[in-house]
Amino acid sequence: MTNHIHGRASRGVVVGALASALATGFIAVPEVVASQAASAVACASNVSTYVLEKKPGAAVRAGSSFTLRKYLDWDPQGGDVNGPLFDTEKTASVASTSSLFTGGHGIIYEVTADGALKTYRDDTASGGKLLTPVRTYDVNWTARHSAWSDGAGLIFVNHDGGKLEIFKQGSPATGDGTLTLLTILPSGNPQVEAFKSADSVWAYGGKVFTLTHGEIRSWAYSEAAGNVTVAATSTLVATGLTGAAQAWSPGPGTVYTASAPADTATGVVRSYTGSPLAPANDSVFEGLYGPVMTDAASCLAPVAEEKPHLGALPAEDPDVPEIGPEREPDPAGAGPMTVSGRFTLPNGQPAGGFPVSVKLSTDTSDSTGPVTEPTVGTVTTAADGTWSLTLPEILPAAAQQAADDNGGALNLSATVAGATSSGVPVVGVDNVVAAPASPATGQPTTLAAQAVAGEQQHSTALTPASAPDAPDPVEPTTSQLTSTYAAQHEADASSDDEAVPPAWQSDRSSLSASFNPNVVNGQNIGGQLVSPFNPDCETVKYKLSSKIAYTTVGEAHAYWDTKATFDYDAKLSSTIDTGYSGGGTNWTLSGSRSVGGSIGHATGYSNKGPYFAKQWKVPIRYTKYKKVHYCNGVQRSKWYTIEAGRYDIPGGGSTGKYGKDVRSKDGTKIYDVPKSRTAVVPKGSYFQLSGGRSIKWTGAATVYGLTIGASTSYDRDHKQRITAGNGRYKHYIWGLHDKPSGNPGIFLSD
């Protein structure tokens, strides 16, 4: 059983993120872990594993709670090479000030903040609760918070006073027996000091195991005549586990490690099997945060050929239809293209009667001097703040060239500018995408049509800009960037892909939810009268810097007996948020840009799985611009933007790379969705999504301290595919937002 206590636990028990790849200089001694002995007891092919979830940065406060989540280690003998660490979706709430450890047989112990010792039984396999109360002991364990059990009745406790106490549980299978103190080892003994200083401690089969600074050792112990003897010397089991902060064993022959905190937190779990130990699976799970506890088995068996399940395997549904052919690409509409939006004043009221300048928004990251982008049209907002501009059927040459260079989609920037009664310049910037007709076909391209499909009319507020003579802000420091919303979102590998980010983000700190962008020098200008600048104005942009950020453009899923493929071939096909800042430090997302055109590369992954689901990222160059607004030759205001540009492989970098592990979306999640969104992929066949538009990954990239979202248009070169095996169960898929043959965004796998 594993010692995984939070609160006053020994250091290193909280799972963080992968600091570096585990070293290949890995040694083991013949002893390793106890060999699998013959037993009359059936060996386990899956083992209950519990995580007390604590995400990076989570604080322990009085009255708060953490979530205890149950997983099943579906292939413990193989280190999850042939099965997943399966999320049963069974949870319970635990006070953040409590400590937990497992006792084997589904028994969980809790030590409360006031020293109460309680036992619970996991009844989820029979449809009951995860924490069914068993007994509250009449003891005071205030000084005992770091504890672990061997599953056979012995409980080891690192007493706060420094000594090691060893208790006997009279009924380990039920958790309600008498607790008897058998042995006390005083502080200063080598084994006692080793257990106290370890990053992780667990025990079973007559040995206590420790993980300390990437090294695993074992300490033999034996019980006789009411006393427990623990060897003062240890045996080396493994070394070279660089970055491992936590370890545990589901049974003989397998060890898991969880990674330590690092700049890129992913909560990576890796496995090692055999004798001597050797790497088995370098990605058992990603995004696993918090102390891990497991019911270690006395022996392990190969995984059965069946879908992971808790309790009885659910019956297959005969009414779910087999999926038909893949959908055809969306037809492109014909006729003139209209772009539109709405502007509001700083106080939220409509900005009626304001001139709107609609300009080309092109990638000028290669420019070295000022650039004035051509005006496509000028309109005036209606009384309700709305505006619209219909593009001519024949575009100006510069606009047509921009569309041709971008796969047929035309990026435009609509700007409203003015000043308050106290002289504070205010600006509203909305980035929109148009789908003009191609001169060759008389219709928009598929990419352009899909880029604008589903786009809602933006409502953009005028907010304070900078005075022309204000100095440009200095770039945030590395330490400042680590405290931003973007850094926290990126560190949480289990974050919701479609979660709405805050309206404003700082590139150098965490912004309060009550942040008000209209406060200038301590004065709220929100209620002041705003007068528009006259229409005879232009905006000149200056490149400040560029950087490359890997950006999520897709994902594919393969659960039991399936393979996943994601293709992002031949050309770009994504729509990416644009950042806007009046002062250059606090940013909001202001519309988006379509990034299309040829990249001359094929990127993605194919035939990965089973039990595989990862996002795919490609390198996109982002540019930070300063934009200065001139009226009648006089500088009136300036602001800053962050804009996505071309596909650009960094020197020595990857053409694409894996993003977040999203296996947690698959499996039994199918039982939570309407049957109308489900389908069966026939055995030995495939289905692919090559039409419509993906979901929007709201945390697709982190660039300049800002979290930026993106989505992808599907076509024959950009698709999500699943290939079904020939196993004995049906292969279900379901769409996240619609049936797979409709507009699902992405589809998931069971």
Side-chain angles (χ1 to χ4, degrees):
M1 304 305 104
T2 313
N3 165 31
H4 289 297
I5 311 298
H6 74 284
R8 297 168 62 185
S10 59
R11 66 182 174 84
V13 299
V14 175
V15 181
L18 183 61
S20 61
L22 297 182
T24 56
F26 194 84
I27 63 173
V29 298
E31 182 263 356
V32 188
V33 287
S35 62
Q36 185 167 311
S39 173
V41 178
C43 297
S45 62
N46 62 78
V47 174
S48 296
T49 303
Y50 308 91
V51 179
L52 191 59
E53 294 180 337
K54 185 179 181 183
K55 293 184 178 181
V60 179
R61 301 184 180 90
S64 64
S65 63
F66 291 138
T67 297
L68 179 68
R69 183 177 297 274
K70 178 179 179 177
Y71 293 82
L72 283 181
D73 184 351
W74 201 251
D75 177 30
Q77 186 187 69
D80 285 339
V81 171
N82 303 303
L85 189 60
F86 163 54
D87 183 359
T88 69
E89 301 184 53
K90 302 298 182 181
T91 62
S93 181
V94 177
S96 62
T97 52
S98 289
S99 303
L100 298 181
F101 64 95
T102 52
H105 313 280
I107 301 301
I108 299 171
Y109 290 77
E110 177 188 16
V111 183
T112 66
D114 58 4
L117 176 65
K118 301 180 179 182
T119 56
Y120 301 88
R121 183 178 63 251
D122 174 7
D123 285 337
T124 55
S126 57
K129 296 191 299 184
L130 177 55
L131 293 179
T132 301
V134 173
R135 179 172 177 177
T136 299
Y137 284 89
D138 186 18
V139 296
N140 186 343
W141 272 36
T142 304
R144 302 177 178 99
H145 289 266
S146 179
W148 65 98
S149 165
D150 68 353
L154 293 183
I155 297 174
F156 301 78
V157 181
N158 283 329
H159 193 281
D160 287 358
K163 60 188 176 183
L164 176 72
E165 297 177 329
I166 305 176
F167 291 84
K168 179 75 171 184
Q169 163 62 264
S171 181
T174 60
D176 60 357
T178 301
L179 281 181
T180 304
L181 179 59
L182 299 183
T183 302
I184 297 177
L185 294 178
S187 177
N189 283 16
Q191 65 272 56
V192 176
E193 297 306 308
F195 298 164
K196 286 193 299 186
S197 62
D199 296 320
S200 205
V201 188
W202 68 100
Y204 69 88
K207 293 182 178 67
V208 176
F209 298 88
T210 60
L211 169 71
T212 306
H213 302 314
E215 182 177 274
I216 296 178
R217 289 184 172 272
S218 69
W219 312 72
Y221 65 88
S222 61
E223 178 188 357
N227 183 60
V228 179
T229 301
V230 183
T233 58
S234 64
T235 301
L236 180 65
V237 174
T239 190
L241 283 76
T242 306
Q246 185 176 190
W248 66 94
S249 294
T254 299
V255 172
Y256 293 99
T257 64
S259 55
D263 292 338
T264 303
T266 53
V268 173
V269 176
R270 299 188 178 205
S271 68
Y272 304 84
T273 60
S275 178
L277 283 177
N281 187 346
D282 65 358
S283 182
V284 172
F285 200 95
E286 296 183 23
L288 193 72
Y289 301 115
V292 181
M293 299 156 279
T294 185
D295 277 346
S298 59
C299 62
L300 300 175
V303 64
E305 186 191 357
E306 55 186 14
K307 291 183 180 180
H309 61 276
L310 177 65
L313 183 66
E316 294 183 334
D317 192 335
D319 296 328
V320 176
E322 290 190 347
I323 190 70
E326 63 180 295
R327 60 172 293 176
E328 291 297 319
D330 294 336
M337 182 63 207
T338 298
V339 290
S340 62
R342 181 174 183 264
F343 286 104
T344 64
L345 298 171
N347 63 4
Q349 295 299 309
F354 280 70
V356 181
S357 179
V358 182
K359 299 179 179 295
L360 287 179
S361 179
T362 54
D363 177 12
T364 59
S365 57
D366 291 331
S367 65
T368 57
V371 175
T372 301
E373 292 180 316
T375 299
V376 175
T378 301
V379 295
T380 301
T381 58
D384 62 356
T386 59
W387 63 274
S388 66
L389 175 69
T390 299
L391 301 180
E393 293 189 15
I394 299 178
L395 291 175
Q400 186 61 62
Q401 187 63 54
D404 293 343
D405 293 342
N406 195 47
L410 187 64
N411 292 310
L412 301 170
S413 176
T415 304
V416 164
T420 69
S421 55
S422 61
V424 175
V426 291
V427 174
V429 178
D430 188 8
N431 292 278
V432 294
V433 181
S438 167
T441 64
Q443 294 183 328
T445 65
T446 299
L447 179 141
Q450 292 181 352
V452 301
E455 281 287 311
Q456 297 180 347
Q457 185 185 72
H458 304 150
S459 183
T460 305
L462 278 70
T463 55
S466 296
D469 57 352
D472 293 328
V474 297
E475 290 297 310
T477 64
T478 300
S479 61
Q480 286 175 324
L481 287 170
T482 61
S483 64
T484 62
Y485 168 83
Q488 295 169 6
H489 187 278
E490 186 173 35
D492 184 2
S494 60
S495 58
D496 185 353
D497 289 322
E498 297 182 286
V500 178
W504 289 87
Q505 302 177 45
S506 170
D507 64 10
R508 60 202 66 210
S509 67
S510 295
L511 278 180
S512 167
S514 60
F515 169 74
N516 185 350
N518 295 320
V519 175
V520 179
N521 297 324
Q523 180 185 15
N524 189 342
I525 58 88
Q528 294 182 3
L529 178 67
V530 178
S531 300
F533 292 141
N534 67 59
D536 185 20
C537 299
E538 64 179 7
T539 301
V540 179
K541 72 176 184 179
Y542 301 81
K543 173 187 172 182
L544 297 179
S545 63
S546 288
K547 61 176 56 180
I548 296 171
Y550 282 84
T551 304
T552 301
V553 293
E555 63 185 69
H557 294 253
Y559 201 58
W560 179 84
D561 192 32
T562 56
K563 301 287 187 179
T565 296
F566 176 75
D567 288 332
Y568 196 81
D569 291 354
K571 60 183 182 296
L572 290 170
S573 180
S574 294
T575 301
I576 304 175
D577 286 340
T578 296
Y580 163 83
S581 175
T585 58
N586 296 326
W587 296 81
T588 190
L589 300 177
S590 176
S592 57
R593 290 172 50 83
S594 174
V595 181
S598 175
I599 61 174
H601 299 277
T603 182
Y605 54 80
S606 61
N607 294 321
K608 306 292 286 187
Y611 306 115
F612 176 93
K614 284 194 175 183
Q615 294 174 347
W616 188 249
K617 291 175 172 282
V618 299
I620 299 294
R621 178 167 294 280
Y622 293 82
T623 303
K624 181 183 285 188
Y625 296 103
K626 174 175 67 175
K627 300 193 175 183
V628 182
H629 200 57
Y630 294 85
C631 295
N632 298 322
V634 178
Q635 293 187 26
R636 296 291 188 178
S637 60
K638 66 178 179 180
W639 60 90
Y640 305 84
T641 62
I642 297 171
E643 301 176 14
R646 64 184 182 273
Y647 174 90
D648 196 353
I649 304 171
S654 300
T655 58
K657 65 180 183 180
Y658 291 112
K660 186 165 63 173
D661 187 306
V662 285
R663 284 175 287 185
S664 60
K665 297 179 182 179
D666 292 325
T668 58
K669 298 291 194 301
I670 191 172
Y671 301 113
D672 299 327
V673 303
K675 187 183 296 186
S676 60
R677 298 217 311 261
T678 64
V680 171
V681 181
K683 296 175 182 180
S685 72
Y686 73 87
F687 172 76
Q688 67 184 26
L689 188 60
S690 54
R693 189 171 173 178
S694 75
I695 64 170
K696 181 176 182 178
W697 296 276
T698 54
T702 298
V703 58
Y704 288 111
L706 182 66
T707 289
I708 285 178
S711 63
T712 289
S713 297
Y714 294 120
D715 55 34
R716 295 302 168 89
D717 294 318
H718 308 86
K719 52 185 176 289
Q720 177 192 352
R721 173 188 283 206
I722 188 170
T723 302
N726 293 299
R728 60 193 179 101
Y729 298 106
K730 289 184 177 180
H731 301 89
Y732 293 95
I733 60 173
W734 70 98
L736 189 60
H737 296 307
D738 191 8
K739 59 185 179 181
S741 58
N743 292 286
I746 58 173
F747 63 85
L748 298 311
S749 170
D750 171 55

